[in-house]
Amino acid sequence: DLSYLFFGLNDTYVAQAVDGLKYILRIYRANWRSRSEICYELDALNHLSDRGVRVAHPIRRLDGEYLQALSAIEGERYAVLFVYAPGKQISYEDDSTNQLLEYGRTVAKIHEATKDFTSRHDRFSLDLNHLLEEPLTTIALRLSHRADDWHYLQRLADRIRDRFAAIPSSNLETGFCHGDFHGGNVHVTEDNAVMVFDFDG
């Protein structure tokens, strides 16, 4: 049984097997992530799972592969099956069950466990180009009629570049980044077992 769960950057479905077990099927949007970038994400999830961190890791197909290529009208898409994260979305309102403490511990475990993570697959870098220059290029196309707003953004970008250039490169950390830690990407069970999912940040 397959039911639509969530529309976001990707399409997410709940898949229920005949034995009642649930899984998550994610279908990546066309031209959003390359095959290599998805494989990098899956390598990170398997790395964390192998080290005992509770993450929604991928499930291999019968042929040993993880990705299923799909031909869609908008272009090639990829589908991956993940374990289901039990529980419910973490709450920031009521910490009577120490949910947030367990969440913090899990995030710390992820940071610690990925210190030695490597992958033969390439993934985009969260650098100044990705976080500043590329968005500015996109915004510029939409602000051509608002000169004052565009000039303000350009001045702000210059300040960010200057601040970034002043930071010694030795002070900058490198490595794996989840990129989207928030309560919507974490489930917690009644006994405070935390599982993190959606590493496509």
Side-chain angles (χ1 to χ4, degrees), residues 44-126:
L45 287 166
N46 285 327
H47 177 90
L48 289 166
S49 182
D50 289 346
R51 281 155 178 74
V53 182
R54 287 176 50 85
V55 294
H57 60 82
I59 298 174
R60 289 186 187 274
R61 303 184 324 180
L62 293 178
D63 63 2
E65 298 294 325
Y66 290 109
L67 273 68
Q68 172 65 52
L70 304 173
S71 295
I73 192 169
E74 66 272 22
E76 188 170 54
R77 303 181 68 176
Y78 294 101
V80 179
L81 192 67
F82 297 88
V83 300
Y84 184 84
K88 60 183 181 179
Q89 195 173 109
I90 198 164
S91 171
Y92 294 111
E93 304 300 324
D94 178 13
D95 191 27
S96 60
T97 55
N98 294 316
Q99 290 182 4
L100 301 183
L101 180 60
E102 291 305 316
Y103 178 29
R105 286 175 175 160
T106 302
V107 171
K109 288 177 184 177
I110 289 173
H111 284 296
E112 186 65 28
T114 52
K115 282 184 177 179
D116 64 343
F117 168 69
T118 59
S119 173
R120 62 185 178 89
H121 301 286
D122 294 324
R123 188 167 170 89
F124 63 90
S125 296
L126 290 173

Side-chain angles (χ1 to χ4, degrees), residues 6 89-90 92 103 107 178-187 195-198:
F6 182 73
Q89 195 173 109
I90 198 164
Y92 294 111
Y103 178 29
V107 171
H178 178 282
D180 202 19
F181 275 132
H182 60 77
N185 286 336
V186 181
H187 276 180
M195 180 175 281
V196 182
F197 51 89
D198 193 1

Side-chain angles (χ1 to χ4, degrees), residues 119-150:
S119 173
R120 62 185 178 89
H121 301 286
D122 294 324
R123 188 167 170 89
F124 63 90
S125 296
L126 290 173
D127 54 15
L128 201 62
N129 184 62
H130 180 78
L131 297 173
L132 181 66
E133 307 301 346
E134 291 176 5
L136 275 176
T137 301
T138 302
I139 293 170
L141 300 174
R142 291 159 176 80
L143 284 185
S144 59
H145 62 295
R146 294 166 57 181
D148 289 344
D149 292 332
W150 174 237

